[in-house]
Amino acid sequence: MQAAARQRPVGELLREWRDRRRISQLDLAISADISTRHLSFVETGRSKPSRDMVLRLGEHLDVPLRERNGLLLAAGYAPAYTESGLPDPEMSAVREAVRQLLVSHEPYPAAVVDRNWDLVDANAGTGLFVAGIAPELTTNVLRATLHPDGMAPHIRNLGEWRGHLLGRLRRQVSQTADAGLADLLDELRGYPCDQPVPEVEVPGPGDIFVPLRFRHEGTDLTFFSTVATFGTPLDITVAELVIESFFPADPRTAAYLRERATLVG
């Protein structure tokens, strides 16, 4: 996105984001407290926006931090948001918080992924998901889950869970306009699946979430998951971290995980 931003005018990029969000010029102008005429001039290139204007429009268009930097570059300004490496000293508080969340969730599985769904960290509980999977698959959580040599053969409701994950990725592609994520979505869609894959998640009788039904060493386990992000990120790396925590959906699964943790420990 940033490379493209250097080659395309900022007004064109802003108009593209506005169209993607399905917001009219009038609505954006009102929410950003600028005149519709000024916004029109910015989008057509007749007026160069200030740095503050680019940031304000990016905020009201809910543009991800990485892409906001791209807008600034396209307008001729320096990026506003840093992108720290997770091992960097200034990220120690983030690393400790993530590690604490992961460890405190045991014996239940939890993992941290980045924007590309690449695995950043995980707790011991995820071992039951990835046991026997080739290391090259486990680097990306979506590939590890849906690839026929990954978790897929052990997921009892593969079609349902696949539809859920592809839906999440599809919404992420729409949110970020990331070409790499779009390529990943196409790749995952090409993986075989011998079950119907719903395009829309419609609950069955008594359903309150999409479960993950996973078979581990002859035992059927049922999970539901929650997703957490950092609430006030100003760094791209922090903004793109996602912590997914799996909980047992029934007493049998909870007992199995506790017993397994005792035996493994």
Side-chain angles (χ1 to χ4, degrees):
M1 186 67 187
Q2 290 188 11
R6 296 188 186 97
Q7 301 171 7
R8 300 172 59 193
V10 65
E12 182 180 324
L13 293 171
L14 286 167
R15 184 173 64 250
E16 187 174 277
W17 279 107
R18 182 174 59 77
D19 290 342
R20 184 175 293 113
R21 298 293 185 255
R22 298 182 181 179
I23 300 175
S24 69
Q25 269 193 353
L26 177 60
D27 288 340
L28 178 57
I30 291 173
S31 65
D33 194 25
I34 63 174
S35 71
T36 306
R37 186 169 183 266
H38 188 187
L39 177 59
S40 176
F41 278 18
V42 168
E43 289 189 350
T44 57
R46 294 179 64 184
S47 176
K48 179 181 177 179
S50 67
R51 184 175 186 272
D52 178 70
M53 178 66 68
V54 174
L55 290 172
R56 193 189 321 171
L57 292 173
E59 173 70 21
H60 286 277
L61 287 169
D62 194 25
V63 177
L65 300 189
R66 182 181 297 276
E67 281 70 28
R68 291 187 203 185
N69 275 350
L71 292 174
L72 287 168
L73 287 170
Y77 302 111
Y81 302 98
T82 59
E83 184 175 4
S84 305
L86 203 56
D88 293 350
E90 61 268 26
M91 298 287 278
S92 61
V94 173
R95 293 195 305 272
E96 290 172 8
V98 167
R99 177 47 34 189
Q100 182 177 350
L101 285 170
L102 293 176
V103 172
S104 64
H105 194 64
E106 293 175 353
Y108 309 147
V112 183
V113 299
D114 63 14
R115 170 189 175 114
N116 300 312
W117 294 75
D118 289 335
L119 185 65
V120 174
D121 199 357
N123 68 5
T126 59
L128 67 87
F129 287 153
V130 299
I133 296 179
E136 60 268 21
L137 282 180
T138 60
T139 57
N140 183 275
V141 169
L142 292 183
R143 290 191 181 98
T145 303
L146 299 180
H147 195 280
D149 294 329
M151 289 171 53
H154 306 285
I155 299 177
R156 309 293 282 177
N157 62 329
L158 179 59
E160 184 179 35
W161 192 249
R162 174 188 171 102
H164 166 68
L165 291 182
L166 293 183
R168 284 174 59 180
L169 182 56
R170 187 167 56 247
R171 290 188 290 273
Q172 187 181 357
V173 170
S174 176
Q175 173 72 16
T176 64
D178 187 300
L181 291 176
D183 290 341
L184 178 60
L185 179 60
D186 287 340
E187 175 190 333
L188 298 174
R189 282 171 170 163
Y191 290 174
C193 180
D194 59 2
Q195 298 178 17
V197 180
E199 285 292 326
V200 179
E201 296 170 356
V202 179
D207 287 346
I208 57 175
F209 48 73
V210 177
L212 170 61
R213 306 187 190 280
F214 188 79
R215 190 168 184 82
H216 181 258
E217 297 181 354
T219 300
D220 287 340
L221 307 173
T222 305
F223 300 88
F224 68 91
S225 69
T226 63
V227 173
T229 58
F230 284 84
T232 54
L234 293 176
D235 180 275
I236 293 173
T237 299
V238 177
E240 294 176 350
L241 290 178
V242 175
I243 305 168
E244 184 146 15
S245 304
F246 290 85
F247 294 83
D250 54 48
R252 178 185 179 186
T253 300
Y256 182 91
L257 295 175
R258 287 193 297 266
E259 181 180 356
R260 178 179 180 274
T262 301
L263 294 175
V264 172

